Amino acid sequence: MKKILLLSDTHSHIDDTILKYVAQADEVWHAGDIGDLAVTDAIKKLKLLRCVYGNIDDATARLEFPLHNRFMCEGVDVWITHIGGYPGKFNPNIKAEMESNPPKLFICGHSHILKVIFDKKHNLLHMNPGAAGKSGFHQVRTMLRFVIEGDKIKDMEIIEMEKRV
């Protein structure tokens, strides 16, 4: 069993609220637009981090993290990318792979809009945790927390932090 904290779009922002939830997780997954690598450095000091770079991330972040991160967590095939789209409107750059080899859990960021959607066509769960940072149009900072046990994804929670200022 793994307790996962999923966040995205920190845009160089890390604070005690985020770190409190990091400390409670077994693994932290970041779906890109890190900004300053001080964010990922702070997370890595506490927990295992699985991360991808996003469109705002510089060459240093792109050397440290991949564009796509596909891995197994327990019995779940996971694919994280920053700009992935969502069911019915996947990014054209990943559409062929999605059709031929869909994961069980597909995660992206970029939109700053929290969404969790089951895709019946590809038999996968799509997650976008919204934005944990303070840059962007979103009004409330959000993250997701859930458990992976064997091949099951369960006990999902939306974490809403204070309004963005």
Side-chain angles (χ1 to χ4, degrees):
M1 180 180 87
K2 298 271 188 201
K3 295 181 216 165
I4 308 300
L5 177 67
L6 174 61
L7 68 158
S8 186
D9 296 275
T10 48
H11 291 264
S12 301
H13 180 79
I14 189 85
D15 60 26
D16 289 341
T17 302
I18 294 171
L19 292 173
K20 174 184 87 170
Y21 287 102
V22 166
Q24 296 170 6
D26 294 320
E27 295 185 10
V28 178
W29 300 351
H30 193 304
D33 276 4
I34 303 155
D36 191 323
L37 289 183
V39 170
T40 49
D41 290 345
I43 293 168
K44 287 191 293 188
K45 284 180 185 173
L46 299 173
K47 298 295 171 166
L48 173 70
L49 173 68
R50 298 181 191 262
C51 189
V52 296
Y53 71 79
N55 57 294
I56 70 146
D57 293 316
D58 65 13
T60 306
R62 292 168 190 237
L63 287 172
E64 185 166 346
F65 301 109
L67 173 61
H68 303 284
N69 192 348
R70 191 150 183 186
F71 56 92
M72 291 297 293
C73 180
E74 300 257 325
V76 176
D77 180 6
V78 180
W79 181 359
I80 304 174
T81 194
H82 184 62
I83 303 175
Y86 51 90
K89 198 156 177 82
F90 288 116
N91 182 324
N93 296 327
I94 65 162
K95 202 168 190 170
E97 178 73 14
M98 189 62 75
E99 293 296 325
S100 66
N101 187 21
K104 181 167 184 157
L105 176 57
F106 180 67
I107 296 169
C108 62
H110 187 62
S111 71
H112 292 220
I113 299 169
L114 187 146
K115 285 186 182 184
V116 178
I117 303 168
F118 184 75
D119 179 352
K120 290 179 185 174
K121 178 181 177 186
H122 299 98
N123 193 33
L124 65 83
L125 186 61
H126 167 271
M127 293 184 194
N128 184 323
K134 293 188 174 185
S135 295
F137 64 87
H138 58 284
Q139 296 299 306
V140 178
R141 298 169 47 227
T142 58
M143 301 184 292
L144 289 171
R145 181 163 63 173
F146 55 95
V147 170
I148 294 182
E149 187 170 12
D151 64 350
K152 304 282 188 264
I153 302 162
K154 62 184 197 174
D155 300 334
M156 183 169 304
E157 299 174 72
I158 295 170
I159 299 167
E160 290 187 345
M161 295 171 279
E162 76 279 355
K163 287 197 173 216
R164 184 182 63 82
V165 289

